Amino acid sequence: MENLEGTSWYMDPEYQDTGDVSMKVDLFSYGVVVLELITGKKFYDNNRPAENCSLLSMFMRSQVLKTADLIDPTLDRNEETLRSFEKGPGLACNCCIRDTDQRPEISNVMGVLLPLVHSWKPLENV
């Protein structure tokens, strides 16, 4: 196996372990970035309590908590913003599943995202 390059928290764990590249390697990184954008936090932070070191573990536990509580507090929490986050965290968490065979196909990810893009309206007076 050759030397792997990249930021470890953005790299697919299976790729880190084996060096094997699959169609789903980038989905892991995508999921990490989406979780960071939603929360405004780094994916992994040793300064958070052990059960919350990883954003993935925070969102997996959010089935008990309200996902809205995990959204970046600097974002406007109006109804439209909260509605736009209904599918994002779940999709991102599925992209971050360790086993690549359990991750969605890119076509599934696009199927979730396309309706959001089509319903997006640019802000006026910006």
Side-chain angles (χ1 to χ4, degrees), residues 6 15 40 57 102 110:
Y15 172 67
S57 63
Q102 297 297 314
M110 294 304 296

Side-chain angles (χ1 to χ4, degrees), residues 59-124:
F59 273 95
M60 296 306 246
R61 288 184 332 100
S62 76
Q63 294 173 352
V64 176
L65 306 171
K66 288 185 70 176
T67 299
D69 293 338
L70 301 176
I71 295 174
D72 184 344
T74 63
L75 296 176
D76 183 10
R77 291 172 181 242
N78 61 37
E79 186 177 322
E80 185 178 352
T81 301
L82 294 175
R83 205 173 38 250
S84 70
F85 285 118
E86 286 176 355
K87 295 183 180 177
L91 177 64
C93 287
N94 283 321
C95 290
C96 291
I97 293 173
R98 184 173 179 82
D99 181 356
T100 55
D101 293 332
Q102 297 297 314
R103 289 185 204 146
E105 298 290 335
I106 190 67
S107 58
N108 301 116
V109 173
M110 294 304 296
V112 171
L113 295 177
L114 281 175
L116 298 175
V117 171
H118 291 301
S119 66
W120 177 78
K121 296 178 181 103
L123 296 174
E124 294 180 17

